[in-house]
Amino acid sequence: MTKKQLDESVTYLKNKGFDTPEIGIVLGTGLGQLVNEIEDSLVAHYNHIPNFPLATVEFHSGKLLFGTIENKKVVVMQGRFHLYEGYDLLDVTYPIRVMSELGIQKLFISNAAGAINLDFKKGDIMLIEDHINLQGGSPLAFKNVAEFGDRFVDMSEPYDTYMRNKIIAIAKREKISLQKGVYASVVGPQLETKAEYRMLKTLGADAVGMSTVPEVIVANHLRLPIVAVSVLTDECDPDNLEPVNIQEIIEIAGKTEPKMIKLFKELIKTL
Ligand code: HPA
């Protein structure tokens, strides 16, 4: 990755009218309906943005949208890049760097995740308070990282406390039950074994998924305040494990998404 490549991506988007968004939003698997809330939207397909990672065959819907939500300018990623699709850690975090160069001051992230903490149920929303990186690498482990920021990035508070407290207050006011916890990221795409679910619990994870952590590391590199939520789509109980049903995971994500949209929209209002 070079500065020149980033500049080319950003110039393309600026020429399309992506003019200084304040907030960047990443929408996870099955969580695309927030795009219906964008007013006066502009669209850029990932395939058309210079230097964006090349999309895989099955990855059709990836696009970047620009517009306003609650009178704030936003840029929204509908679909993200995953390690399990064969992308590397620089690929999956490239859009975060692009959104930062476009001017975002805050980053909202969402994902679909499995519940490791069995007090949590599918259809719950979990505010991510901290994470465990189990993806076997770092998006900051590249030679010219110093051109982009510090090499040794502090991760003592990776999720912005101010915005987290706002989300907690909004959930209370709107009577949305909100779990809080630690998200562990794995590579996937296979789901976990019973033994792996036991391990994740022992490690202190409350939820597990295949994304988000690299994006959060890069956002910290860029000193972007982050708020991130998991939509819990299945319960990962090693003693009663049912075969995974991806269709059901996507369905539960879709059904739960309105709560996430409410939290994000109300948070935007306060910023
Ligand atoms: N693991 C288990 N369950 C899940 C995941 C995962 O990575 N993502 C969504 N549900």
Side-chain angles (χ1 to χ4, degrees), residues 112-114 186 191-192 197 208-210 233-234 236 249:
V186 294
L191 280 290
E192 291 70 34
Y197 285 136
V208 58
M210 303 172 190
T233 53
D234 52 306
C236 306
I249 284 182

Side-chain angles (χ1 to χ4, degrees), residues 83-85 187-192 210 246:
L83 292 179
Y84 65 70
E85 293 166 293
V187 175
Q190 75 285 355
L191 280 290
E192 291 70 34
M210 303 172 190
I246 296 296

Side-chain angles (χ1 to χ4, degrees), residues 230-242:
S230 288
V231 169
L232 303 178
T233 53
D234 52 306
E235 292 157 23
C236 306
D237 178 357
D239 297 319
N240 295 289
L241 194 60
E242 286 166 29

